[in-house]
Amino acid sequence: KSESHEHWMNVRREFMRLLASGLYTVIAPTQSVANRYRKLECSLSEIPIHVVAHGLDVKLSQSFMPVSVLSESTIGDRGRLKIVMLGRLTDEKGANLLRDMMINLGQFADLYLLGTGESGGQYYSQPAIKVWESYDRNDLAALLADINPDLGMLLSTVAETFSYTLSELWAAGIPVLATRLGAFADRINESHNGWLVEPASAHILEKLRELDLNRNLLYEAKRYLAHQP
């Protein structure tokens, strides 16, 4: 039996009362989440919210190190731009944005979709796209090494709270183009470890063309990532 609306409102009020009491430490993974907490609940406006970023599993993080070295050493290749996307391909993750620009994108770039789930099936017939509906997380480093992408792309149209996929791409030495929302806007240092664009297909495609024509921008970003802990 589902609980009533009144029940959940009571739970919310009690939860907020406890947070506002000052007896507990309140944390958020990014500043945008802390801002959202305060926007949703005015009683938190004067309560300190500490930003503590998530980390990656040490073993997983170390597995990406050889990929990082490979990624930086081959950036001089002037072939077609290679772009990788990690995770489910749903509308809130940017499926609509990708669909709208795919014909134009396929003219100069190859796209690798890892872990799409069943939603990736719609792209099987696209010659410029290769799809993995699923993968073992322990195999991700090997997959990325085999693809050796120039760029990662994250197109969420709903604000992410942190984005582990962003961390994984960075750990592999892959700069990221992402929508200017939520955690992406918090974490990406423009032109250093990636680029931010408005969540619109035309803006994304324009930036991808710019990066394709200026591969030195990708090289500099990869060098920056290679020196990040």
Side-chain angles (χ1 to χ4, degrees):
K1 180 175 181 285
S2 298
E3 301 290 353
S4 67
H5 173 75
E6 182 181 2
H7 166 82
W8 289 113
M9 291 305 293
N10 287 334
V11 170
R12 184 183 191 278
R13 278 191 290 271
E14 178 62 11
F15 180 61
M16 291 302 173
R17 185 190 68 78
L18 290 171
L19 291 186
S21 69
L23 297 174
Y24 302 93
T25 299
V26 184
I27 63 171
T30 57
Q31 186 58 49
S32 61
V33 174
N35 296 342
R36 201 177 316 160
Y37 286 165
R38 292 190 171 109
K39 185 175 180 180
L40 289 169
E41 179 52 57
C42 61
S43 66
L44 297 180
S45 61
E46 302 301 323
I47 301 299
I49 300 178
H50 305 273
V51 175
V52 181
H54 295 307
L56 283 181
D57 175 80
V58 173
K59 184 178 180 181
L60 177 67
S61 182
Q62 290 175 341
S63 73
F64 289 123
M65 292 177 68
V67 186
S68 177
V69 174
L70 174 65
S71 179
E72 185 180 3
S73 67
T74 57
I75 191 62
D77 180 13
R78 291 293 302 180
R80 285 167 62 84
L81 189 68
K82 292 194 288 186
I83 305 169
V84 66
M85 293 180 68
L86 303 183
R88 292 293 184 262
L89 200 60
T90 56
D91 285 349
E92 64 270 17
K93 295 292 184 179
N96 286 341
L97 296 175
L98 181 61
R99 196 177 303 121
D100 290 344
M101 67 179 181
M102 199 54 240
I103 293 177
N104 291 321
L105 180 60
Q107 295 173 0
F108 64 92
D110 292 320
L111 184 62
Y112 300 82
L113 305 176
L114 305 186
T116 63
E118 294 181 359
S119 60
Q122 62 187 302
Y123 291 109
Y124 282 144
S125 62
Q126 297 278 351
I129 300 182
K130 189 169 183 179
V131 178
W132 287 259
E133 290 193 4
S134 63
Y135 61 86
D136 188 306
R137 196 174 186 188
N138 294 323
D139 296 333
L140 180 57
L143 280 171
L144 292 175
D146 185 55
I147 296 167
N148 190 23
D150 301 304
L151 181 69
M153 190 161 66
L154 298 171
L155 302 180
S156 296
T157 57
V158 176
E160 299 279 355
T161 58
F162 184 74
S163 182
Y164 279 104
T165 51
L166 177 60
S167 295
E168 289 169 345
L169 290 166
W170 278 348
I174 302 167
V176 175
L177 173 69
T179 45
R180 197 185 304 275
L181 294 170
F184 297 153
D186 285 343
R187 302 182 64 200
I188 291 177
N189 186 353
E190 189 84 22
S191 299
H192 286 82
N193 53 20
W195 298 268
L196 295 166
V197 289
E198 298 306 314
S201 297
H203 291 287
I204 298 164
L205 191 62
E206 181 182 6
K207 177 56 73 172
L208 289 172
R209 288 188 183 279
E210 178 189 337
L211 293 172
D212 180 44
L213 295 173
N214 297 276
R215 298 292 180 92
N216 61 301
L217 298 176
L218 295 169
Y219 175 70
E220 291 301 323
K222 286 171 180 283
R223 285 187 61 188
Y224 180 90
L225 288 169
H227 295 93
Q228 298 307 294

